[in-house]
């Protein structure tokens, strides 16, 4: 494990997340600082297969730390699931003598990287760039803080209308498999109910409590639902509530992709810079297939194959707090 790298590639893969640019900037500038050649691979694994690879200099990453999206673009790539696709990608790296990779993405991107790093002799370092905050081995993922703050700002605005009209609002936030955006934005906006994929939704219980609130004229109620909630998202929840609360004014608001865009928060810029810097240090130390996370404010390294989706880990404490504070 001592093969020092000299030419490294960086790519963003899977869903974009605010702060990815800050991470790219950190990788490029740390690499250049250490005298490495640094290459940007466009459109994730697709660009590696299609040979869309460009050499980066310090100016290539100027004026991007504050920008959402990713200057390298991102993609989902079917061909990378097959060995033939990965071999093509390797040939393109080999041709330029690229001998280390930094992958900024989610657990899917890491699964691809693990296979790639095992099949071909190329060290891969993973950094979590996903708004869902659903990766094991890190307290933060790049993009979550921005996304959750975007959701909070939007929900606060909806609350004005909710309050003015005495309405029930069901707001759907992102999170296909993870309820962190719903939980954090819901607590921060004083939601009465938060529905997340990690917990079975007891619709009877929720209906009963809303009926009881209607009796005591508490008509303003905020329900925050993660898109991947087992009940099927905001529209499904609305159907049930309309049947059981015929007098209530109920509206649905789906926040959607506004949560994925926008200028990254200070926290996202910081963690992206820190993780980007350490990912290059890892390559220089000769580490192979490692995930660079942050735990308890310290860098935390685990094998990349262990950086899987963090399922069902939301603590009961949070849900208890929601119940007590929303009474
Ligand atoms: P994310 O990284 O955000 O979780 P995806 O799950 O869509 O996003 O994965 C991004 C890309 O990573 C996929 O389009 C594919 O190219 C690659 N990938 C995901 N899983 C695998 C796998 N099991 N084998 C090979 N490549 C994979
Ligand atoms: O993983 C991030 C995420 O935004 C999820 O919350 C959401 O379900 C998914 O990506 C949507 O992905 P896309 O719009 O890129 O298909």
């Amino acid at each position: 494990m001592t093969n020092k790298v000299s030419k490294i590639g960086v790519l963003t893969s899977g869903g974009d997340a605010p702060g990815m640019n800050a991470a790219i900037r950190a990788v490029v500038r740390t690499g250049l600082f250490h005298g490495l050649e640094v290459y940007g691979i466009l459109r994730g694994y697709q660009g590696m297969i299609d040979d869309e690879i460009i050499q980066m200099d310090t100016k290539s990453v100027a004026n991007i730390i504050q920008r959402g999206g990713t200057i390298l673009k991102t993609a989902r790539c079917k061909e990378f699931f097959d060995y033939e696709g990965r071999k093509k990608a390797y040939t393109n790296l080999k041709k330029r003598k690229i001998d280390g990779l930094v992958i900024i993405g989610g657990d899917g991107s890491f699964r691809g990287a693990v296979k790639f790093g095992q099949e071909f002799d190329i060290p891969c370092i993973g950094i979590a760039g996903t708004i869902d905050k659903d990766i094991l081995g890190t307290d933060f993922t790049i993009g979550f803080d921005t996304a959750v703050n975007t959701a909070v700002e939007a929900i606060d605005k909806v609350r004005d209308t909710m309050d003015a009209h005495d309405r029930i609002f069901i707001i759907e936030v992102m999170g296909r498999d993870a309820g962190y955006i719903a939980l954090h934005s819901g607590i921060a906006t004083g939601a009465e109910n938060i529905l997340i994929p990690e917990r079975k939704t007891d619709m009877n219980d929720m209906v009963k409590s809303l009926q009881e609130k209607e009796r005591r004229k508490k008509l303003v109620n905020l329900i925050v639902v993660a898109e991947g909630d087992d009940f099927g998202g905001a529209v499904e929840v609305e159907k049930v509530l309309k049947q059981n609360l015929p007098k209530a004014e109920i509206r649905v608001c789906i926040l959607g992709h506004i949560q994925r865009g926008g200028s990254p928060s200070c926290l996202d810029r910081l963690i992206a810079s820190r993780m980007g810097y350490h990912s290059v240090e890892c390559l220089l130390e000769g580490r192979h297939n490692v995930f660079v996370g942050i735990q308890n404010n310290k860098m935390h390294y685990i094998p990349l194959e262990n950086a899987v989706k963090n399922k069902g880990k939301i603590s009961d404490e949070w849900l208890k707090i929601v119940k007590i504070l929303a009474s």
Side-chain angles (χ1 to χ4, degrees):
M1 293 242 182
T2 50
N3 50 331
K4 192 175 171 301
V5 292
S6 60
K7 298 187 183 193
I8 63 170
V10 55
L11 61 89
T12 47
S13 169
D16 68 313
M20 279 183 161
N21 280 326
I24 295 167
R25 173 178 175 271
V27 171
V28 171
R29 293 209 168 149
T30 308
L32 294 174
F33 171 81
H34 286 293
L36 307 180
E37 278 183 26
V38 186
Y39 292 84
I41 299 162
L42 303 182
R43 294 171 226 285
Y45 295 129
Q46 195 62 54
M48 214 149 89
I49 293 173
D50 296 342
D51 205 18
E52 289 188 280
I53 301 174
I54 48 171
Q55 192 168 354
M56 312 281 280
D57 61 20
T58 190
K59 273 199 188 143
S60 331
V61 290
N63 199 23
I64 65 165
I65 195 167
Q66 77 284 17
R67 284 171 56 192
T70 153
I71 59 160
L72 294 177
K73 298 188 177 280
T74 184
R76 295 194 167 96
C77 170
K78 274 199 186 136
E79 276 177 276
F80 205 73
F81 282 90
D82 301 326
Y83 176 77
E84 282 312 311
R86 295 193 293 274
K87 197 171 156 199
K88 233 173 161 181
Y90 181 67
T91 308
N92 289 328
L93 297 186
K94 201 73 194 161
K95 172 162 102 182
R96 291 182 181 78
K97 299 196 169 61
I98 294 175
D99 48 14
L101 270 187
V102 176
I103 294 103
I104 307 164
D107 62 305
S109 304
F110 302 150
R111 273 195 298 280
V114 166
K115 278 191 192 163
F116 191 66
Q118 282 167 353
E119 288 163 350
F120 306 100
D121 187 23
I122 183 145
C124 295
I125 308 294
I127 304 179
T130 164
I131 65 164
D132 291 346
K133 198 173 98 77
D134 58 350
I135 310 281
L136 275 180
T138 186
D139 295 339
F140 304 102
T141 65
I142 297 166
F144 173 74
D145 185 63
T146 309
V148 89
N149 277 297
T150 301
V152 164
E153 202 183 322
I155 297 171
D156 282 347
K157 286 181 179 161
V158 173
R159 186 177 266 288
D160 290 346
T161 301
M162 185 169 71
D163 193 57
H165 285 264
D166 281 336
R167 281 178 178 166
I168 294 176
F169 254 95
I170 308 162
I171 301 193
E172 184 177 297
V173 297
M174 275 192 161
R176 200 171 17 203
D177 306 301
Y180 287 102
I181 297 179
L183 188 74
H184 286 228
S185 66
I187 292 174
T189 54
E192 272 72 19
N193 294 87
I194 301 174
L195 313 187
I196 53 175
E198 292 84 348
R199 287 281 185 287
K200 198 162 166 38
T201 299
D202 187 342
M203 195 47 77
N204 285 336
D205 188 51
M206 191 165 108
V207 165
K208 267 194 219 149
S209 105
L210 287 168
Q211 287 169 335
E212 187 272 322
K213 283 174 182 153
E214 195 176 54
R215 277 194 289 278
R216 62 176 162 95
K217 301 264 180 292
K218 184 185 183 318
L219 304 175
V220 177
N221 283 287
L222 171 61
I223 301 164
V224 177
V225 188
E227 64 179 322
D229 163 62
D230 69 329
F231 207 78
V235 173
E236 293 307 309
V237 173
E238 183 194 25
K239 283 183 197 157
V240 178
L241 295 191
K242 277 196 161 155
Q243 279 166 9
N244 290 283
L245 295 148
K247 283 188 276 173
E249 271 206 63
I250 305 172
R251 293 288 187 278
V252 164
C253 175
I254 298 175
L255 297 186
H257 287 80
I258 64 159
Q259 296 158 94
R260 281 253 291 267
S263 181
S265 67
C266 176
L267 179 62
D268 276 331
R269 295 180 202 193
L270 286 179
I271 60 165
S273 301
R274 197 173 176 197
M275 288 173 177
Y277 164 81
H278 282 284
S279 65
V280 177
E281 294 290 321
C282 277
L283 285 172
L284 288 166
E285 285 161 15
R287 293 184 192 242
H288 280 241
N289 302 344
V290 163
F291 172 74
V292 173
I294 299 175
Q295 271 185 355
N296 302 320
N297 202 25
K298 288 198 171 65
M299 298 317 293
H300 182 69
Y301 305 108
I302 59 171
L304 194 49
E305 59 266 34
N306 294 351
V308 292
K309 235 185 222 324
N310 185 2
K311 282 194 173 162
K313 295 279 181 199
I314 287 181
S315 104
D316 289 333
E317 183 199 351
W318 282 120
L319 298 161
K320 200 172 161 191
I321 289 173
V322 174
K323 260 211 152 130
I324 292 171
L325 300 192
S327 54

